[in-house]
Amino acid sequence: MTITITAFDRSPDGGKGLARDTRIRWALEETGQPYDVRLVPRDEMKEPAHLRRNPFGQIPTYEEGELVLFESGAIVLHIASHHAGLLPDDANARARAITWMFAALNSVEPSILEIFIARILERDQPWATDRLPVVLDRVRERLGLLSDRLGDADWLDGAFSAGDLMMVSVLLRARPSGVLDEFPNLAAYVARGEARPAYQRAFAAQLAVNTRP
Amino acid sequence: MTITITAFDRSPDGGKGLARDTRIRWALEETGQPYDVRLVPRDEMKEPAHLRRNPFGQIPTYEEGELVLFESGAIVLHIASHHAGLLPDDANARARAITWMFAALNSVEPSILEIFIARILERDQPWATDRLPVVLDRVRERLGLLSDRLGDADWLDGAFSAGDLMMVSVLLRARPSGVLDEFPNLAAYVARGEARPAYQRAFAAQLAVNTRP
């Protein structure tokens, strides 16, 4: 069955790979799955046709036959559960890899998204300038703990897994603020993720969409 | 093998059931699994012994033999994957239930946690009063979309699942602000979750910890 994902018709980041379709493309590339892409214009995100796919009116979504999924975490886990390459065979190691996916999405991404909220959504609010350093300090605290755990390992728990795919994807969103580079081992970890051929293909595919005439 | 979870020695909410150990207790109760609890004093959260269990120094964690997990989402998914009662048998329905778990944790909880950030963490900041309504409006937007999807159904996708367990747990955190009650179908959905005997047992267990002499 054909896999079809949705992506922004034009990503707000102009093709930097920070939109959440990139992590799905990456998972599909790591597992060797071909896929089609349906581009959704931003003014159609909250229209009934797209809300049927994703009740929050966001991208990405995933369609395969009768199955319709949303949430990048659920989609990456679905891909990783059905195709080899992103989860270890050992049951305990598998549970730990999935734990890192949730950690990326629930313990790391929310604090990083606060940077976006402060810099973009609340940019015109009177507190915008004074609040940003407070937000960045919370990100630093979280990234400091992650940096301590990673140490000088290549990946978070043994071989590269869906947990690393998600953590690298989330950390990339902290890079424009400069805060990622304050943690050299995390910056190197992200660079290792970006160097993977599957990531390169995923990045190129989203860039092609966002730089087309 | 014995299951041991961690919880706050004294929860910051005084036993309202909003700390994340409650959702783990609930999943264990729904699936009929006995468990032990290790209480972690708040000044030991960032000590090496607890950081080995959870690199972010938070509760809950889950230990079973050699396996150590953190992240409430990963723990509930682990419990739901190994014991009957929280995930449907049909593969597509199962994937959709897991999608709702991720939706609760990545699309709903972050906006609700912003209320906590605004009201507690940034309470003494000069922007505290002016910013809270902006935060609440973002929560309303998200809950409005969720309310539209739920409609007059009892649960998000057929029978009660781990997706509902997580969504109810997350929505409970919006109730103290009053914003949950602005969406009567969501308030009734949460009340249905709270009425489940397994939730009642989980709530009572955390309350006993937090009200002991």
Side-chain angles (χ1 to χ4, degrees):
Chain A
M1 278 185 293
T2 305
I3 293 169
T4 303
I5 68 168
T6 51
F8 286 117
D9 178 52
R10 297 277 171 183
S11 172
D13 74 355
K16 292 191 182 71
L18 304 182
R20 288 183 173 97
D21 59 297
T22 305
R23 47 187 87 164
I24 309 304
R25 295 173 185 270
W26 187 5
L28 290 164
E29 293 287 351
E30 291 280 356
T31 55
Q33 301 304 307
Y35 62 100
D36 288 342
V37 183
R38 178 185 290 121
L39 300 179
V40 185
R42 270 195 272 173
D43 60 2
E44 294 178 15
M45 289 275 171
K46 301 289 193 277
E47 294 296 314
H50 192 63
L51 286 173
R52 275 194 290 276
R53 291 181 210 116
N54 180 336
F56 301 107
Q58 299 180 309
I59 61 95
T61 59
Y62 176 100
E63 291 162 87
E64 188 181 8
E66 296 292 301
L67 181 63
V68 183
L69 299 177
F70 58 101
E71 291 293 326
S72 63
I75 296 169
V76 168
L77 182 57
H78 180 79
I79 295 166
S81 300
H82 287 78
H83 306 286
L86 284 173
L87 287 174
D89 291 329
D90 173 74
N92 282 1
R94 198 173 179 93
R96 291 197 304 271
I98 293 170
T99 291
W100 282 113
M101 289 187 61
F102 280 100
L105 292 166
N106 198 239
S107 285
V108 179
E109 190 165 40
S111 70
I112 291 174
L113 277 183
E114 271 213 81
I115 304 175
F116 166 79
I117 289 168
R119 297 182 81 165
I120 309 291
L121 294 190
E122 299 184 3
R123 148 186 68 195
D124 297 327
Q125 299 286 2
W127 55 78
T129 306
D130 290 345
R131 189 169 174 270
L132 184 59
V134 175
V135 167
L136 288 173
D137 278 348
R138 278 200 295 269
V139 178
R140 283 184 187 102
E141 191 201 345
R142 209 39 75 98
L143 295 195
L145 291 163
L146 181 65
S147 169
D148 290 347
R149 171 57 72 103
L150 179 64
D152 56 7
D154 276 357
W155 306 112
L156 286 165
D157 192 338
F160 176 83
S161 78
D164 295 299
L165 183 153
M166 198 55 85
M167 191 65 82
V168 167
S169 298
V170 162
L171 291 175
L172 273 167
R173 301 183 131 198
R175 193 159 60 188
S177 70
V179 76
L180 177 65
D181 290 327
E182 296 175 21
F183 302 90
N185 68 333
L186 294 183
Y189 169 70
V190 168
R192 270 191 295 281
E194 292 179 294
R196 293 178 70 85
Y199 179 84
Q200 299 275 321
R201 291 193 295 272
F203 184 88
Q206 65 80 35
L207 184 64
V209 167
N210 287 297
T211 53
R212 73 192 194 281
Chain B
M1 279 185 292
T2 307
I3 293 169
T4 303
I5 69 168
T6 52
F8 286 118
D9 178 53
R10 295 277 173 187
S11 174
D13 74 354
K16 292 192 183 71
L18 304 182
R20 288 184 174 96
D21 59 298
T22 304
R23 47 187 86 166
I24 310 303
R25 296 173 185 271
W26 187 5
L28 290 164
E29 293 287 352
E30 290 281 355
T31 55
Q33 300 305 307
Y35 62 98
D36 288 342
V37 184
R38 178 185 290 123
L39 300 178
V40 185
R42 270 194 274 172
D43 60 1
E44 294 178 16
M45 289 273 171
K46 301 289 195 277
E47 293 296 314
H50 193 61
L51 287 173
R52 274 194 290 276
R53 291 181 210 114
N54 180 334
F56 300 106
Q58 299 179 310
I59 61 94
T61 59
Y62 177 100
E63 291 162 86
E64 187 180 9
E66 297 292 302
L67 181 64
V68 183
L69 299 178
F70 57 101
E71 291 292 325
S72 62
I75 296 169
V76 168
L77 182 58
H78 180 78
I79 295 165
S81 300
H82 287 76
H83 306 286
L86 284 173
L87 287 174
D89 291 330
D90 174 73
N92 282 1
R94 199 174 179 93
R96 291 196 305 270
I98 293 171
T99 291
W100 281 112
M101 290 187 60
F102 280 100
L105 293 166
N106 197 238
S107 285
V108 179
E109 190 165 42
S111 70
I112 292 174
L113 278 183
E114 270 211 83
I115 304 175
F116 166 80
I117 290 169
R119 296 181 82 165
I120 309 291
L121 294 190
E122 298 183 3
R123 150 186 69 196
D124 297 327
Q125 299 287 1
W127 56 79
T129 307
D130 290 344
R131 188 168 174 270
L132 184 59
V134 175
V135 167
L136 288 173
D137 278 346
R138 278 199 295 269
V139 178
R140 282 184 188 102
E141 190 201 345
R142 209 40 76 99
L143 295 194
L145 290 164
L146 181 65
S147 170
D148 290 347
R149 171 57 73 104
L150 179 65
D152 57 6
D154 277 357
W155 307 111
L156 287 165
D157 191 339
F160 177 83
S161 78
D164 295 299
L165 184 153
M166 197 56 82
M167 191 65 82
V168 167
S169 298
V170 162
L171 291 175
L172 274 166
R173 302 185 130 195
R175 193 159 60 188
S177 70
V179 76
L180 177 66
D181 290 327
E182 296 176 21
F183 301 90
N185 68 334
L186 294 183
Y189 168 70
V190 167
R192 271 191 294 281
E194 291 179 294
R196 293 179 69 86
Y199 179 84
Q200 299 275 322
R201 291 192 295 274
F203 184 88
Q206 65 78 35
L207 185 64
V209 167
N210 287 298
T211 53
R212 75 191 191 282

